Amino acid sequence: MHTLKIPPRTGNMKLILGIESSCDETGIALYHVERGLLAHTLHSQIALHNEYGGVVPELASRDHVRYVLPLIRSALEKAGCTLKDIDAIAYTQGPGLSGALLVGASVACALAYALDVPAIGVHHLEGHLLSPLLSKPAPQFPFVALLVSGGHTQLMRVDGVGRYTLLGESVDDAAGEAFDKSAKLLGLDYPGGALLSKLAQDGTPGRFKLPRPMLHSGDLDFSFSGLKTAVLLAVQQNQNDEQTRADIAHAAEEAIVDVLVHKAVAALKQTGLEQLVVAGGVGANRLLRTRLSELVGKRGGKVFYPDLEFCTDNGAMIAFAGAMRLQLQPEQRDYRFNVKPRWDLQQLNYAD
Ligand code: KG4
Ligand code: ZN
């Protein structure tokens, strides 16, 4: 049984505790508005879900319960802070798995109530969108953001904190899902994005040509569901040797990256903006980074990436987004929480 002893509180609105628990990572961070990120801790459940080939929601919730308080305690230790130094608590309110979200939300709201500080429900994708601002050099508003995670593929125009416009999105699978499903068909462990990318390095360029749906659709939407069928056919119709698997992985990575790069550059053209921010787990992909930097660079633009540790789910982006929100919105002492497993980022605009 983990317990936290609640001390009396002093101080003002500077130090934000962030709690991320929307899927299969428990992420905790302490962000200070003047001193930056003081500490962050993370527990990944990849090994736990691996044998099932995907995230098992109930196991995810239980594992968040197991880790959330010890991780808060170790983040406080790393930062040299105590509970009484915390001025506000930000938690992921959605989108995500409801049970997993409830763990972070209930801990955040109970702790905030006990400490008499505000609790701020953060949109997970806003966390990803703003995460490049944690790295140096940071982009300036306005910019275009390419959000590429396991659950989402979106192009957003970001005019400022809380001012987001959707430019285009996937009509079916997310880019991360396309990576993971292709990886699964190639016999790789879950989540297979990074593993597929590694296998692709040994692939023969051009042996397989996979479809790039909606590449020339004229809008900024994406479609990736056809790709897994094409990968399935390639797997079934060819010998299952190591070289063939690498060749298919190579073609799959090329197809996904090609579409993402094409649409991201089109979004820059359409908006007339020059800065592109790439956020979400797929943003860790090397080929995507190289291609985007080359092409956007040629146009005189610049691409910004969060540091690799902040690409995938983490508490730092939630603490940071919470800190930004606190500066714009009046603080609230409402500790009733309702998580939002489905939550459109467009509905979030709060700075108009
Ligand atoms: O943002 P994230 O950590 O979690 C979600 O909110 O979904 O993204 C996870 C996704 C997974 O689909 C994973 O396979 C993918 O990001 N990913 C990658 C790479 N690293 C993580 N995909 C391609 N290449 C990578 N290097
Ligand atoms: Zn995420």
Side-chain angles (χ1 to χ4, degrees):
M1 182 75 173
H2 300 288
T3 53
L4 292 170
K5 206 161 167 285
I6 310 295
R9 179 176 171 267
T10 54
N12 52 13
M13 225 35 94
K14 296 267 164 61
L15 186 67
I16 287 85
L17 170 71
I19 303 179
E20 154 64 32
S21 72
S22 65
C23 188
D24 57 352
E25 253 115 20
T26 321
I28 303 295
L30 285 157
Y31 179 82
H32 191 281
V33 289
E34 284 155 8
R35 293 160 59 203
L37 187 64
L38 301 188
H40 67 109
T41 50
L42 187 85
H43 170 70
S44 165
Q45 304 177 356
I46 284 179
L48 177 71
H49 301 293
N50 202 346
E51 62 177 299
Y52 304 99
V55 177
V56 183
E58 183 56 28
L59 291 183
S61 312
R62 291 185 207 175
D63 212 50
H64 287 304
V65 171
R66 218 167 281 136
Y67 281 93
V68 66
L69 293 185
L71 286 175
I72 292 176
R73 200 174 287 118
S74 83
L76 284 166
E77 266 166 32
K78 275 192 188 176
C81 298
T82 63
L83 281 175
K84 74 173 188 308
D85 299 319
I86 295 171
D87 298 309
I89 302 181
Y91 63 95
T92 307
Q93 191 173 15
L97 302 170
S98 54
L101 289 166
L102 276 169
V103 177
S106 53
V107 168
C109 290
L111 196 53
Y113 176 69
L115 293 170
D116 189 23
V117 299
I120 311 151
V122 169
H123 193 295
H124 180 81
L125 294 183
E126 183 179 31
H128 275 306
L129 263 188
L130 300 179
S131 62
L133 298 171
L134 281 165
S135 305
K136 296 227 162 32
Q140 305 283 315
F141 298 117
F143 55 76
V144 170
L146 173 65
L147 257 177
V148 272
S149 71
H152 294 85
T153 299
Q154 294 183 329
L155 277 161
M156 312 279 306
R157 181 189 166 106
V158 181
D159 284 290
V161 174
R163 295 169 67 201
Y164 313 118
T165 313
L166 182 70
L167 301 171
E169 65 184 333
S170 176
V171 297
D172 43 52
D173 289 354
E177 234 174 323
F179 267 109
D180 294 344
K181 286 178 177 172
S182 302
K184 198 171 181 179
L185 290 167
L186 291 166
L188 300 170
D189 281 346
Y190 179 88
L195 296 173
L196 182 141
S197 184
K198 195 160 174 276
L199 181 63
Q201 284 173 10
D202 301 323
T204 320
R207 178 169 165 209
F208 291 97
K209 180 93 178 139
L210 297 176
R212 284 139 171 81
M214 294 184 74
L215 186 65
H216 301 294
S217 59
D219 56 22
L220 298 174
D221 288 337
F222 306 83
S223 166
F224 289 109
S225 69
L227 189 71
K228 63 175 183 291
T229 316
V231 170
L232 177 67
L233 286 177
V235 169
Q236 285 174 342
Q237 290 168 357
N238 290 278
Q239 281 201 341
N240 188 15
D241 57 90
E242 194 59 22
Q243 188 57 51
T244 302
R245 289 171 62 248
D247 295 347
I248 297 173
H250 189 279
E253 184 177 44
E254 283 282 339
I256 299 168
V257 166
D258 203 16
V259 177
L260 291 175
V261 169
H262 184 92
K263 297 276 172 160
V265 170
L268 289 177
K269 276 190 197 147
Q270 184 181 305
T271 55
L273 299 177
E274 283 170 358
Q275 300 173 97
L276 177 73
V277 158
V278 182
V282 181
N285 185 273
R286 290 266 158 229
L287 184 69
L288 177 67
R289 289 183 171 221
T290 313
R291 292 271 168 84
L292 272 178
S293 296
E294 259 171 36
L295 260 164
V296 175
K298 254 190 214 159
R299 300 185 70 248
K302 192 165 163 44
V303 192
F304 297 80
Y305 306 96
D307 291 337
L308 277 180
E309 59 186 333
F310 302 132
C311 273
T312 45
D313 291 350
N314 64 85
M317 66 184 194
I318 303 303
F320 181 72
M324 298 295 106
R325 284 269 294 278
L326 261 184
Q327 291 175 2
L328 286 172
Q329 285 183 318
E331 63 161 277
Q332 286 181 2
R333 303 280 163 125
D334 184 354
Y335 302 111
R336 285 169 301 180
F337 54 89
N338 67 331
V339 295
K340 301 178 181 176
R342 288 177 172 274
W343 188 6
D344 183 357
L345 184 61
Q346 284 266 90
Q347 293 169 359
L348 191 70
N349 287 338
Y350 51 82
D352 295 331

